[in-house]
Coordinates of all heavy atoms in Angstrom, one line a residue:
E1 N 31.1 86.6 87.3 CA 31.3 86.4 85.9 C 32.7 86.0 85.7 O 33.0 85.3 84.7 CB 31.2 87.8 85.2 CG 29.5 88.3 85.1 CD 28.8 87.2 84.2 OE1 29.5 86.7 83.2 OE2 27.8 86.8 84.6
R2 N 33.8 86.4 86.6 CA 35.1 86.1 86.3 C 35.3 84.6 86.6 O 36.2 84.0 86.0 CB 36.0 86.8 87.2 CG 36.2 88.3 86.7 CD 37.2 89.0 87.6 NE 36.9 88.9 88.9 CZ 37.3 89.7 90.0 NH1 38.2 90.6 89.7 NH2 36.9 89.5 91.2
T3 N 34.5 84.2 87.5 CA 34.7 82.6 87.9 C 33.9 81.7 87.0 O 34.2 80.5 86.9 CB 34.2 82.4 89.3 OG1 35.0 83.3 90.2 CG2 34.4 81.1 89.9
K4 N 32.9 82.2 86.4 CA 32.0 81.3 85.5 C 32.7 80.4 84.6 O 32.4 79.3 84.5 CB 30.9 82.2 84.7 CG 29.9 81.3 83.9 CD 29.0 82.1 83.1 CE 28.3 83.1 83.8 NZ 27.3 83.9 82.9
P5 N 33.7 80.8 83.7 CA 34.4 79.8 82.9 C 35.1 78.7 83.7 O 35.3 77.6 83.0 CB 35.5 80.8 82.2 CG 35.0 82.1 82.4 CD 34.3 82.1 83.6
A6 N 35.4 78.8 84.9 CA 36.0 77.6 85.7 C 35.0 76.7 86.4 O 35.4 75.8 87.0 CB 37.0 78.4 86.6
V7 N 33.7 77.1 86.3 CA 32.8 76.4 86.9 C 32.4 75.2 86.0 O 32.1 75.4 84.8 CB 31.4 77.1 87.2 CG1 30.4 76.3 87.7 CG2 31.8 78.1 88.3
V8 N 32.4 73.9 86.4 CA 32.1 72.8 85.5 C 31.1 72.0 86.0 O 30.5 72.0 87.1 CB 33.5 71.8 85.5 CG1 34.6 72.6 85.0 CG2 33.7 71.3 86.9
Y9 N 30.4 71.2 85.0 CA 29.3 70.3 85.3 C 29.8 68.8 85.2 O 30.6 68.6 84.4 CB 28.2 70.5 84.2 CG 27.0 69.6 84.1 CD1 26.1 69.7 85.1 CD2 27.0 68.6 83.3 CE1 25.0 68.9 85.3 CE2 25.8 67.8 83.3 CZ 24.9 67.9 84.3 OH 23.7 67.0 84.3
L10 N 29.4 68.2 86.2 CA 29.8 66.8 86.3 C 28.8 65.7 86.2 O 27.6 65.9 86.6 CB 30.4 66.4 87.7 CG 31.4 67.4 88.3 CD1 31.7 67.1 89.8 CD2 32.7 67.3 87.5
T11 N 29.1 64.6 85.4 CA 28.2 63.5 85.4 C 29.1 62.4 85.9 O 30.2 62.2 85.5 CB 27.6 63.3 84.1 OG1 28.7 63.2 83.0 CG2 26.6 64.4 83.5
V12 N 28.3 61.5 86.7 CA 28.9 60.3 87.2 C 28.1 59.1 86.9 O 27.0 59.1 87.0 CB 29.1 60.5 88.8 CG1 29.6 59.2 89.3 CG2 29.9 61.7 89.1
V13 N 28.8 58.1 86.2 CA 28.2 56.9 85.9 C 28.7 55.8 86.8 O 29.9 55.7 87.2 CB 28.4 56.4 84.5 CG1 27.8 55.1 84.1 CG2 28.0 57.6 83.5
A14 N 27.8 55.0 87.4 CA 28.1 53.9 88.4 C 29.1 52.9 87.8 O 29.1 52.6 86.6 CB 26.8 53.2 88.8
P15 N 30.0 52.3 88.6 CA 30.9 51.3 88.0 C 30.3 50.1 87.4 O 30.9 49.5 86.5 CB 31.7 50.8 89.4 CG 31.1 51.5 90.5 CD 30.0 52.5 90.1
D16 N 29.1 49.7 87.8 CA 28.5 48.6 87.2 C 27.7 48.9 86.0 O 27.0 48.0 85.3 CB 27.7 47.8 88.1 CG 26.7 48.6 88.8 OD1 26.7 49.9 88.7 OD2 25.7 48.1 89.6
A17 N 27.6 50.1 85.5 CA 26.9 50.4 84.4 C 27.6 50.0 83.0 O 28.9 50.0 83.0 CB 26.6 51.9 84.3
P18 N 26.8 49.6 82.0 CA 27.4 49.3 80.8 C 28.3 50.3 80.3 O 27.9 51.5 80.4 CB 26.2 48.9 80.0 CG 25.1 48.7 80.7 CD 25.4 49.5 82.0
Y19 N 29.4 50.0 79.6 CA 30.3 51.1 79.2 C 29.6 52.1 78.3 O 29.9 53.2 78.3 CB 31.5 50.4 78.5 CG 32.5 51.4 78.1 CD1 33.3 52.0 79.0 CD2 32.6 51.9 76.9 CE1 34.2 53.1 78.7 CE2 33.6 53.0 76.4 CZ 34.3 53.5 77.4 OH 35.2 54.5 77.2
G20 N 28.7 51.6 77.5 CA 28.0 52.6 76.6 C 26.9 53.4 77.2 O 26.2 54.3 76.5
D21 N 26.7 53.1 78.4 CA 25.6 53.8 79.1 C 25.9 55.2 79.4 O 27.0 55.6 80.0 CB 25.4 53.0 80.5 CG 24.0 53.6 81.2 OD1 23.5 54.5 80.7 OD2 23.8 53.1 82.3
Q22 N 25.1 56.1 78.8 CA 25.2 57.6 79.0 C 24.4 58.1 80.1 O 24.4 59.4 80.2 CB 25.0 58.1 77.6 CG 25.9 57.8 76.5 CD 27.3 58.0 76.8 OE1 27.7 59.1 77.2 NE2 28.1 57.0 76.6
Y23 N 23.6 57.4 80.9 CA 22.7 58.0 81.8 C 23.5 58.1 83.1 O 23.9 57.1 83.8 CB 21.6 57.1 81.9 CG 20.7 57.0 80.6 CD1 20.8 55.9 79.7 CD2 20.0 58.1 80.3 CE1 20.1 55.9 78.6 CE2 19.3 58.1 79.1 CZ 19.4 57.0 78.3 OH 18.6 56.9 77.1
P24 N 23.7 59.2 83.6 CA 24.4 59.5 84.9 C 23.6 58.9 86.1 O 22.4 59.1 86.1 CB 24.7 60.9 84.9 CG 23.6 61.6 84.2 CD 23.3 60.5 83.1
T25 N 24.3 58.6 87.1 CA 23.7 58.0 88.3 C 23.8 59.2 89.3 O 23.1 59.3 90.3 CB 24.5 56.9 88.9 OG1 25.8 57.1 89.1 CG2 24.3 55.7 88.1
E26 N 24.7 60.3 89.1 CA 24.8 61.5 89.7 C 25.3 62.6 88.9 O 26.0 62.5 87.8 CB 25.8 61.3 91.0 CG 25.5 60.4 92.1 CD 24.6 61.3 93.0 OE1 24.4 62.5 92.9 OE2 24.1 60.5 94.0
T27 N 24.8 63.8 89.3 CA 25.3 65.0 88.6 C 25.8 66.0 89.6 O 25.2 65.9 90.9 CB 24.2 65.6 87.7 OG1 23.2 65.9 88.5 CG2 23.8 64.6 86.6
G28 N 26.6 66.9 89.3 CA 26.9 68.0 90.3 C 27.8 69.0 89.5 O 27.8 69.1 88.3
S29 N 28.4 69.8 90.3 CA 29.3 70.8 89.8 C 30.5 70.9 90.6 O 30.7 70.2 91.6 CB 28.5 72.3 89.9 OG 28.3 72.6 91.3
G30 N 31.5 71.6 89.9 CA 32.9 71.8 90.5 C 33.4 73.0 90.0 O 32.8 73.8 89.3
V31 N 34.8 73.3 90.5 CA 35.4 74.4 90.1 C 36.8 74.1 89.8 O 37.5 73.4 90.6 CB 35.4 75.5 91.2 CG1 36.2 76.7 90.8 CG2 34.0 75.9 91.6
I32 N 37.4 74.5 88.6 CA 38.7 74.1 88.2 C 39.7 75.0 89.1 O 39.5 76.3 89.1 CB 39.0 74.5 86.8 CG1 38.0 73.7 86.0 CG2 40.5 74.2 86.5 CD1 38.1 73.8 84.4
L33 N 40.6 74.4 89.7 CA 41.6 75.2 90.7 C 42.9 75.3 90.1 O 43.7 76.0 90.8 CB 41.5 74.5 92.0 CG 40.2 74.4 92.8 CD1 40.5 73.7 94.2 CD2 39.7 75.8 93.0
S34 N 43.3 74.5 89.1 CA 44.7 74.6 88.6 C 44.8 74.2 87.1 O 43.9 73.7 86.5 CB 45.6 73.6 89.4 OG 45.3 72.2 89.0
R35 N 45.9 74.8 86.5 CA 46.1 74.6 85.1 C 46.3 73.1 84.8 O 46.3 72.7 83.7 CB 47.3 75.3 84.6 CG 47.1 76.9 84.8 CD 46.6 77.5 83.5 NE 46.5 78.9 83.6 CZ 45.4 79.6 83.3 NH1 44.2 78.8 82.9 NH2 45.2 80.8 83.4
E36 N 46.7 72.3 85.9 CA 47.0 70.8 85.7 C 45.6 70.2 85.6 O 45.6 68.9 85.5 CB 47.9 70.3 86.9 CG 49.2 70.7 86.9 CD 49.4 72.3 87.3 OE1 48.5 72.8 88.1 OE2 50.3 73.1 86.9
G37 N 44.5 70.8 85.9 CA 43.2 70.1 85.8 C 42.6 69.7 87.1 O 41.7 68.8 87.0
H38 N 43.0 70.3 88.1 CA 42.4 69.8 89.4 C 41.0 70.5 89.6 O 40.9 71.8 89.5 CB 43.4 70.1 90.6 CG 44.5 69.2 90.6 ND1 45.8 69.6 90.0 CD2 44.8 68.0 91.0 CE1 46.7 68.7 90.1 NE2 46.0 67.6 90.7
V39 N 40.1 69.8 90.0 CA 38.9 70.2 90.3 C 38.3 69.8 91.6 O 38.6 68.8 92.1 CB 37.7 69.5 89.1 CG1 36.2 70.0 89.5 CG2 38.1 70.0 87.8
I40 N 37.7 70.8 92.3 CA 37.1 70.5 93.6 C 35.6 70.4 93.4 O 34.9 71.1 92.7 CB 37.5 71.7 94.5 CG1 37.1 71.1 96.1 CG2 36.8 72.9 94.2 CD1 37.7 71.9 97.2
T41 N 35.1 69.4 94.1 CA 33.6 69.1 94.0 C 33.3 68.6 95.3 O 33.9 68.4 96.3 CB 33.3 68.2 92.8 OG1 31.8 68.1 92.8 CG2 33.9 66.8 93.0
N42 N 32.0 68.0 95.4 CA 31.4 67.4 96.7 C 31.8 65.9 96.6 O 31.6 65.2 95.6 CB 29.9 67.6 96.9 CG 29.7 69.1 97.0 OD1 29.1 69.8 96.2 ND2 29.9 69.6 98.3
A43 N 32.2 65.4 97.6 CA 32.5 64.0 97.9 C 31.1 63.2 97.5 O 31.3 62.1 96.9 CB 33.0 63.7 99.2
H44 N 30.1 63.6 98.0 CA 28.9 62.7 97.7 C 28.5 62.6 96.3 O 27.9 61.6 95.8 CB 27.7 63.3 98.5 CG 27.0 64.6 97.9 ND1 27.4 65.8 98.4 CD2 26.1 64.8 97.0 CE1 26.7 66.7 97.7 NE2 25.9 66.1 96.9
V45 N 28.9 63.5 95.5 CA 28.7 63.4 94.0 C 29.5 62.4 93.4 O 29.0 61.5 92.5 CB 29.0 64.7 93.4 CG1 29.0 64.6 91.8 CG2 28.0 65.9 93.9
V46 N 30.6 62.0 93.8 CA 31.6 61.0 93.2 C 31.8 59.8 94.1 O 32.5 58.9 93.7 CB 32.9 61.6 92.9 CG1 32.8 62.8 91.8 CG2 33.7 62.2 94.1
R47 N 30.9 59.6 95.1 CA 31.2 58.5 96.1 C 31.1 57.2 95.4 O 31.7 56.3 95.7 CB 30.3 58.7 97.2 CG 28.9 58.3 97.0 CD 28.1 58.3 98.3 NE 26.6 58.4 97.9 CZ 25.9 59.3 97.9 NH1 26.3 60.4 98.2 NH2 24.7 59.2 97.5
A48 N 30.2 57.1 94.4 CA 30.0 55.7 93.7 C 30.3 55.8 92.2 O 29.7 55.2 91.4 CB 28.5 55.3 93.9
A49 N 31.4 56.5 92.1 CA 31.8 56.8 90.6 C 32.5 55.5 90.1 O 33.3 55.0 90.6 CB 32.7 57.9 90.4
G50 N 32.1 55.2 88.7 CA 32.8 54.3 87.9 C 33.5 55.2 86.9 O 34.7 55.1 86.7
R51 N 32.8 56.1 86.2 CA 33.5 57.1 85.4 C 32.8 58.5 85.7 O 31.7 58.7 86.1 CB 32.9 56.7 83.9 CG 33.5 55.3 83.4 CD 33.1 55.1 82.0 NE 31.7 55.3 81.6 CZ 30.8 54.4 81.7 NH1 31.1 53.2 82.2 NH2 29.6 54.7 81.3
V52 N 33.7 59.5 85.6 CA 33.4 60.8 85.8 C 33.8 61.6 84.6 O 34.8 61.6 84.1 CB 34.1 61.5 86.9 CG1 33.7 62.8 87.2 CG2 33.9 60.6 88.2
N53 N 32.7 62.4 84.1 CA 32.8 63.2 82.9 C 32.6 64.6 83.4 O 31.8 65.0 84.1 CB 31.7 62.9 81.8 CG 32.0 63.6 80.6 OD1 33.1 63.6 80.0 ND2 30.9 64.3 80.1
V54 N 33.5 65.5 82.9 CA 33.5 66.9 83.2 C 33.3 67.8 81.9 O 33.9 67.6 81.0 CB 34.7 67.4 83.9 CG1 34.8 68.8 84.4 CG2 35.0 66.6 85.2
V55 N 32.2 68.7 82.1 CA 31.9 69.6 81.0 C 32.2 71.0 81.3 O 31.6 71.5 82.4 CB 30.4 69.4 80.5 CG1 30.2 70.4 79.5 CG2 30.0 68.0 80.2
L56 N 33.0 71.5 80.7 CA 33.4 73.0 80.9 C 32.4 74.0 80.4 O 31.5 73.6 79.6 CB 34.8 73.4 80.3 CG 36.0 72.9 81.1 CD1 36.1 71.5 81.3 CD2 37.3 73.5 80.4
H57 N 32.4 75.3 80.7 CA 31.5 76.3 80.3 C 31.4 76.4 78.8 O 30.3 76.7 78.3 CB 31.9 77.6 81.0 CG 31.0 78.8 80.7 ND1 29.8 78.8 81.3 CD2 31.2 79.8 80.0 CE1 29.2 80.0 80.9 NE2 30.0 80.6 80.0
D58 N 32.6 76.3 78.3 CA 32.6 76.3 76.7 C 32.2 75.0 76.0 O 32.5 74.9 74.9 CB 33.9 76.9 76.3 CG 35.2 76.0 76.5 OD1 34.8 74.8 77.0 OD2 36.2 76.4 76.5
R59 N 31.8 74.1 76.8 CA 31.3 72.8 76.3 C 32.2 71.7 76.0 O 32.0 70.6 75.6 CB 30.4 72.9 75.0 CG 29.1 73.8 75.3 CD 28.2 73.1 76.1 NE 26.9 73.8 76.3 CZ 26.3 74.0 77.4 NH1 26.8 73.5 78.4 NH2 25.3 74.7 77.3
R60 N 33.6 72.1 76.2 CA 34.7 71.0 76.2 C 34.3 70.0 77.2 O 33.9 70.3 78.3 CB 36.0 71.6 76.5 CG 36.6 72.3 75.1 CD 37.9 72.8 75.5 NE 37.9 74.0 76.4 CZ 39.0 74.5 76.9 NH1 40.3 74.0 76.8 NH2 38.9 75.5 77.9
E61 N 34.6 68.8 76.9 CA 34.4 67.6 77.8 C 35.7 66.8 78.1 O 36.5 66.6 77.2 CB 33.4 66.6 77.3 CG 32.0 67.3 77.1 CD 31.0 66.3 76.8 OE1 31.0 65.1 77.2 OE2 29.9 66.8 76.0
Y62 N 35.8 66.4 79.3 CA 37.1 65.6 79.7 C 36.6 64.6 80.7 O 35.8 64.6 81.5 CB 38.1 66.5 80.4 CG 38.7 67.6 79.7 CD1 38.1 68.9 79.8 CD2 39.7 67.4 78.8 CE1 38.7 69.9 79.0 CE2 40.3 68.3 78.1 CZ 39.7 69.7 78.1 OH 40.3 70.7 77.3
A63 N 37.2 63.3 80.5 CA 37.2 62.3 81.6 C 38.0 62.8 82.8 O 39.0 63.5 82.5 CB 37.8 60.9 81.0
A64 N 37.6 62.3 84.0 CA 38.3 62.7 85.1 C 38.6 61.6 86.1 O 37.8 60.7 86.0 CB 37.6 63.9 85.9
E65 N 39.7 61.6 86.9 CA 40.0 60.6 87.7 C 39.7 61.3 89.3 O 39.9 62.4 89.4 CB 41.3 60.0 87.7 CG 42.4 61.0 87.9 CD 43.8 60.3 87.7 OE1 43.8 59.1 87.6 OE2 44.7 61.1 87.8
I66 N 39.3 60.5 90.2 CA 39.3 61.0 91.5 C 40.8 61.0 92.2 O 41.3 59.9 92.3 CB 38.3 60.2 92.4 CG1 36.9 60.3 91.9 CG2 38.3 60.7 93.9 CD1 35.9 59.3 92.3
V67 N 41.3 62.1 92.7 CA 42.5 62.1 93.3 C 42.3 61.9 94.8 O 43.1 61.1 95.4 CB 43.2 63.6 93.1 CG1 44.4 63.7 94.0 CG2 43.3 63.9 91.7
G68 N 41.2 62.3 95.5 CA 40.9 62.1 96.8 C 39.6 62.5 97.2 O 39.0 63.4 96.5
A69 N 39.0 61.9 98.4 CA 37.7 62.5 98.7 C 37.6 62.2 100.2 O 38.3 61.4 100.8 CB 36.6 61.5 98.1
D70 N 36.9 63.1 100.8 CA 36.9 63.2 102.4 C 35.4 63.3 102.6 O 34.8 64.4 102.5 CB 37.4 64.4 102.9 CG 37.3 64.5 104.5 OD1 37.0 63.4 105.1 OD2 37.4 65.5 105.0
P71 N 34.6 62.1 103.0 CA 33.2 62.2 103.3 C 32.8 63.1 104.4 O 31.7 63.7 104.5 CB 32.8 60.8 103.5 CG 34.1 60.1 103.5 CD 35.2 60.9 103.0
T72 N 33.7 63.3 105.4 CA 33.4 64.1 106.6 C 33.3 65.6 106.3 O 32.3 66.1 106.7 CB 34.6 63.9 107.6 OG1 34.8 62.5 107.9 CG2 34.3 64.8 108.8
T73 N 34.1 66.1 105.4 CA 33.8 67.5 104.9 C 33.1 67.7 103.7 O 32.8 68.7 103.1 CB 35.3 68.1 104.8 OG1 36.1 67.5 103.8 CG2 36.0 68.3 106.1
D74 N 32.8 66.5 103.1 CA 32.1 66.4 101.8 C 32.8 67.1 100.7 O 32.3 67.8 99.8 CB 30.7 67.0 101.9 CG 29.6 66.5 100.7 OD1 30.1 65.5 100.1 OD2 28.7 67.2 100.4
L75 N 34.2 66.9 100.6 CA 34.9 67.6 99.5 C 35.7 66.3 98.8 O 36.1 65.5 99.3 CB 36.0 68.6 100.1 CG 35.5 69.8 100.6 CD1 36.5 70.7 101.3 CD2 34.7 70.6 99.5
A76 N 35.8 66.6 97.5 CA 36.6 65.8 96.6 C 37.5 66.5 95.6 O 37.2 67.6 95.3 CB 35.7 64.7 96.0
V77 N 38.7 66.0 95.3 CA 39.5 66.5 94.3 C 39.5 65.6 93.1 O 39.8 64.4 93.3 CB 40.8 67.0 94.8 CG1 41.7 67.4 93.6 CG2 40.8 67.9 96.0
L78 N 39.3 66.1 91.9 CA 39.3 65.4 90.5 C 40.6 66.0 89.9 O 41.0 67.0 90.1 CB 38.1 65.4 89.8 CG 36.8 65.3 90.5 CD1 35.7 65.5 89.6 CD2 36.7 63.8 91.0
R79 N 41.0 65.0 88.8 CA 41.9 65.5 87.9 C 41.5 65.3 86.6 O 41.2 64.1 86.1 CB 43.3 65.0 88.2 CG 44.4 65.6 87.2 CD 45.8 65.0 87.4 NE 45.9 63.6 87.0 CZ 46.0 63.2 85.8 NH1 46.1 64.0 84.8 NH2 46.1 61.9 85.5
L80 N 41.4 66.4 85.7 CA 40.9 66.1 84.3 C 42.0 65.3 83.5 O 43.2 65.7 83.7 CB 40.7 67.5 83.7 CG 39.7 68.4 84.3 CD1 39.6 69.7 83.5 CD2 38.4 67.7 84.4
L81 N 41.6 64.4 82.7 CA 42.5 63.7 81.9 C 42.7 64.4 80.7 O 41.7 64.6 80.0 CB 42.1 62.2 81.9 CG 41.9 61.4 83.2 CD1 41.3 60.0 82.9 CD2 43.2 61.4 83.9
E82 N 43.9 64.4 80.2 CA 44.2 64.9 78.7 C 43.9 66.5 78.6 O 43.5 66.7 77.5 CB 43.6 64.0 77.7 CG 44.2 62.6 77.8 CD 43.6 61.7 76.7 OE1 43.2 62.2 75.6 OE2 43.7 60.5 76.9
A83 N 43.8 67.0 79.7 CA 43.4 68.6 79.7 C 44.7 69.3 79.1 O 45.8 68.9 79.6 CB 42.9 69.0 80.9
G84 N 44.4 70.3 78.3 CA 45.5 71.2 77.8 C 45.8 72.3 78.9 O 45.0 72.5 79.8
P85 N 46.8 73.1 78.6 CA 47.2 74.2 79.4 C 46.2 75.4 79.3 O 46.4 76.4 80.1 CB 48.6 74.6 78.8 CG 48.5 74.3 77.5 CD 47.6 73.0 77.4
D86 N 45.2 75.4 78.5 CA 44.3 76.5 78.3 C 43.1 76.5 79.2 O 42.1 77.1 78.8 CB 44.0 76.7 76.8 CG 43.3 75.5 76.3 OD1 43.2 74.5 76.9 OD2 42.5 75.7 75.3
L87 N 43.2 75.8 80.2 CA 42.0 75.6 81.1 C 41.7 76.9 82.0 O 42.7 77.6 82.4 CB 42.2 74.6 82.3 CG 42.2 73.0 81.8 CD1 42.7 72.2 82.9 CD2 41.0 72.6 81.2
P88 N 40.5 77.3 82.1 CA 40.1 78.4 82.9 C 40.3 78.0 84.4 O 39.9 76.9 84.8 CB 38.6 78.8 82.6 CG 38.1 77.5 82.0 CD 39.3 76.7 81.5
V89 N 40.8 79.0 85.3 CA 41.2 78.6 86.6 C 40.5 79.7 87.5 O 40.6 80.8 87.1 CB 42.6 78.5 86.8 CG1 42.8 78.3 88.4 CG2 43.2 77.3 86.1
A90 N 39.7 79.3 88.4 CA 39.1 80.1 89.4 C 40.2 80.8 90.3 O 41.1 80.2 90.6 CB 38.1 79.4 90.3
R91 N 40.1 82.1 90.4 CA 41.0 82.8 91.3 C 40.4 82.9 92.8 O 39.2 83.5 92.8 CB 41.2 84.2 90.8 CG 42.2 85.0 91.6 CD 42.4 86.4 90.9 NE 42.9 87.3 91.9 CZ 42.2 88.2 92.3 NH1 41.0 88.5 92.0 NH2 42.8 89.1 93.3
L92 N 40.9 82.2 93.6 CA 40.4 82.2 95.0 C 41.0 83.3 95.9 O 42.2 83.8 95.5 CB 40.6 80.9 95.7 CG 40.0 79.6 94.8 CD1 40.3 78.4 95.4 CD2 38.4 79.9 94.6
G93 N 40.4 83.6 97.0 CA 41.0 84.5 97.9 C 42.2 83.9 98.6 O 42.6 82.8 98.5
D94 N 42.8 84.8 99.5 CA 43.9 84.5 100.3 C 43.5 84.0 101.7 O 43.0 84.8 102.4 CB 44.8 85.7 100.4 CG 46.1 85.5 101.2 OD1 46.3 84.3 101.9 OD2 47.0 86.3 101.1
S95 N 43.6 82.6 101.9 CA 43.2 82.2 103.2 C 43.9 82.7 104.5 O 43.4 82.7 105.6 CB 43.3 80.6 103.3 OG 44.7 80.2 103.0
D96 N 45.2 83.3 104.2 CA 45.7 84.1 105.3 C 45.0 85.3 105.7 O 45.3 85.9 106.9 CB 47.2 84.4 105.0 CG 48.1 83.1 104.9 OD1 47.5 82.1 105.5 OD2 49.1 83.2 104.2
E97 N 44.2 85.9 105.0 CA 43.5 87.0 105.1 C 42.1 86.9 105.6 O 41.4 87.8 106.1 CB 43.4 87.9 103.8 CG 44.7 88.3 103.3 CD 45.5 89.2 104.2 OE1 44.9 90.1 104.8 OE2 46.7 89.0 104.3
V98 N 41.7 85.6 105.7 CA 40.2 85.4 106.2 C 40.1 85.5 107.8 O 41.1 85.1 108.5 CB 39.8 83.9 105.9 CG1 38.3 83.5 106.4 CG2 39.8 83.8 104.3
Q99 N 39.0 86.2 108.1 CA 38.8 86.3 109.7 C 37.5 85.8 110.1 O 36.6 85.8 109.2 CB 38.9 87.8 109.9 CG 40.3 88.4 109.8 CD 40.3 89.9 110.2 OE1 39.5 90.4 110.8 NE2 41.5 90.6 109.8
V100 N 37.3 85.4 111.1 CA 35.9 84.9 111.8 C 34.9 86.1 111.3 O 35.1 87.3 111.7 CB 36.0 84.7 113.1 CG1 34.7 84.3 113.7 CG2 37.0 83.5 113.4
G101 N 33.8 85.6 110.8 CA 32.8 86.6 110.4 C 32.7 87.1 109.0 O 31.7 87.7 108.6
D102 N 33.9 86.8 108.2 CA 33.9 87.2 106.9 C 32.9 86.4 106.1 O 32.6 85.2 106.4 CB 35.4 86.9 106.2 CG 36.3 88.0 106.6 OD1 36.0 89.0 107.3 OD2 37.5 87.8 106.4
G103 N 32.3 87.0 105.0 CA 31.4 86.4 104.2 C 32.1 85.4 103.3 O 33.3 85.4 103.0
V104 N 31.3 84.3 102.9 CA 31.8 83.3 101.9 C 30.9 83.1 100.8 O 29.7 83.5 101.0 CB 32.1 82.0 102.5 CG1 33.2 82.1 103.6 CG2 31.0 81.3 103.1
V105 N 31.4 82.6 99.6 CA 30.5 82.4 98.5 C 30.6 81.0 98.0 O 31.9 80.6 98.0 CB 30.9 83.3 97.3 CG1 30.1 83.0 96.1 CG2 30.6 84.8 97.8
V106 N 29.7 80.3 97.8 CA 29.7 79.0 97.1 C 29.6 79.1 95.8 O 28.6 79.7 95.3 CB 28.7 77.9 97.8 CG1 28.7 76.6 97.3 CG2 29.0 77.9 99.4
V107 N 30.4 78.4 94.9 CA 30.4 78.5 93.5 C 29.8 77.2 93.0 O 30.5 76.2 93.3 CB 31.7 79.0 92.8 CG1 31.7 78.9 91.4 CG2 32.1 80.2 93.5
G108 N 29.0 77.2 92.1 CA 28.4 76.0 91.5 C 27.2 76.1 90.7 O 26.7 77.2 90.7
S109 N 27.0 75.2 89.7 CA 25.8 75.1 88.9 C 25.5 73.8 88.4 O 25.5 73.4 87.3 CB 26.2 76.1 87.7 OG 25.0 76.1 86.9
P110 N 24.9 73.0 89.3 CA 24.7 71.5 89.1 C 23.7 71.3 88.1 O 23.4 70.3 87.5 CB 24.3 70.9 90.3 CG 23.7 72.1 91.2 CD 24.5 73.2 90.7
L111 N 22.8 72.4 87.8 CA 21.7 72.0 86.7 C 22.1 72.5 85.3 O 21.3 72.8 84.5 CB 20.5 72.8 87.2 CG 19.8 72.3 88.6 CD1 18.8 73.1 88.9 CD2 19.6 70.8 88.4
R112 N 23.5 72.8 85.3 CA 24.0 73.3 84.0 C 23.6 74.6 83.7 O 23.3 75.2 82.8 CB 23.7 72.3 82.8 CG 24.8 71.8 82.1 CD 24.4 71.1 80.9 NE 25.6 70.1 80.6 CZ 25.6 69.2 79.7 NH1 24.5 69.2 78.9 NH2 26.7 68.6 79.4

């Protein structure tokens, strides 16, 4: 429940789609990691992105740019454009405290 506000829904439109085209070629989910609007998602979701739109839990929408992507680990980082300082941010654990055998949780909701 504490993380839910920071979980986002992504729609990706191919670069060759007409500008007014609202039909996504990919959808997925991500998690807001910083007040500056950094979002982590899967690289395969944004691999063919022309435009990326991010919808927050409270229905606010932002355009996003791809900061970087690594297909080997299937991770990508986005940055929300024109986002304000009131973004919900997921509180993550301390990686220095993780030990082999600890449980992990994947956060996401690609079906909105």
